[in-house]
Amino acid sequence: MSKIQSSALCFLLLLSVFRQSASAQVIDDTGQWNAVFLQDKFTPDSRLKWWFDGHYRLFDDAGGFGQSIVRPGVGFDLWENSAVWAGYGWIRTSPVQGADTDEHRIWQQWTWSRSGKSRTGSTVKIAARTRFEQRFVESTDDTGLRLRQFVRWQRDIGPCANRTFVVWDELFIALNDTDFGQRSGFDQNRIFVGLGFKKHRSSTWRVEIGYMNQFVNQAGPTDRSNHLLVVN
């Protein structure tokens, strides 16, 4: 199969997924998601790395608690721009309807990134992450399997390189049905557009602020489209 045929097939599959989703009624909501992401090597010369991300998410027009996540992990550099990871996540969710839930996740992922210069001299960076999750919800018996594919693009703004324009997308595919409500197939999609800021060019800290749309393919007659202010 040629590259053109492969691309066309992928496009048609995605179009079919979103066409099925579009047939349902969509409920819109607004909210604010806040997160911190940390990672570093255990020692300067080590190939072993650690990872942590924590999240506090508000829904219902940003007036009500929606979800919190604590997710540590460890990784190993395969080569300069690629690493494999594994870790654990604890997720407390307060759904729009129903009781709060506690979920435990075991996850594995592969990350890759590459930087280069544009024709104008700006630094451009692309990154990808493929994550496989095993989901366990308390008071239920099933294990949910889910695949997540993340792709990110960023470009410096201006000569100082302390401001960046950022776009990323993450697609979620559920691999099985569970008694806690996961349905196999397209689960959700998140797309983000925003700006990144550093205090100075060599800073290891960055703040990103922007808009994200989260489209959730729910079981039942209605889907959700959440319009979110994101601060990372």
Side-chain angles (χ1 to χ4, degrees), residues 53-225:
D53 61 281
H55 304 252
Y56 186 75
R57 298 171 175 175
L58 301 170
F59 288 104
D60 190 19
D61 296 327
F65 170 75
Q67 191 175 67
S68 62
I69 300 176
V70 176
R71 187 162 39 207
V74 294
F76 182 79
D77 280 331
L78 297 176
W79 53 84
E80 182 179 0
N81 298 317
S82 181
V84 289
W85 303 81
Y88 162 79
W90 171 68
I91 299 91
R92 164 63 64 90
T93 302
S94 182
V96 177
Q97 296 179 344
D100 291 358
T101 62
D102 287 296
E103 179 181 335
H104 306 275
R105 293 180 193 167
I106 307 300
W107 56 271
Q108 306 83 36
Q109 68 183 24
W110 169 72
T111 58
W112 172 87
S113 64
R114 184 173 180 179
S115 298
K117 294 289 186 179
S118 68
R119 293 181 178 178
T120 60
S122 298
T123 299
V124 177
K125 183 177 180 179
I126 58 173
R129 181 186 70 214
T130 303
R131 177 178 291 172
F132 179 50
E133 297 177 323
Q134 301 87 59
R135 308 174 63 197
F136 309 90
V137 177
E138 291 185 4
S139 75
T140 65
D141 297 324
D142 287 349
T143 300
L145 305 178
R146 188 166 67 180
L147 186 66
R148 300 168 54 167
Q149 182 59 55
F150 173 91
V151 179
R152 172 190 169 95
W153 179 91
Q154 71 180 56
R155 179 173 178 168
D156 289 347
I157 301 173
C160 296
N162 58 355
R163 292 173 296 168
T164 54
F165 176 67
V166 181
V167 178
W168 58 256
D169 186 85
E170 186 170 19
L171 177 66
F172 293 60
I173 301 295
L175 303 180
N176 65 332
D177 297 337
T178 69
D179 58 5
F180 58 79
Q182 176 175 288
R183 297 292 178 266
S184 61
F186 170 62
D187 180 70
Q188 63 176 280
N189 190 77
R190 302 173 183 176
I191 185 167
F192 172 89
V193 178
L195 297 174
F197 303 90
K198 289 184 176 183
K199 186 175 181 180
H200 50 81
R201 183 171 187 171
S202 60
S203 174
T204 57
W205 289 90
R206 182 178 65 250
V207 176
E208 291 184 359
I209 301 174
Y211 165 79
M212 187 178 79
N213 177 259
Q214 178 197 31
F215 182 87
V216 182
N217 181 29
Q218 299 186 136
T222 59
D223 295 329
R224 296 194 67 84
S225 181

Side-chain angles (χ1 to χ4, degrees), residues 13-27:
L13 289 172
L14 287 173
L15 183 62
S16 175
V17 167
F18 285 107
R19 182 179 296 172
Q20 292 175 8
S21 300
S23 65
Q25 180 184 356
V26 178
I27 298 175

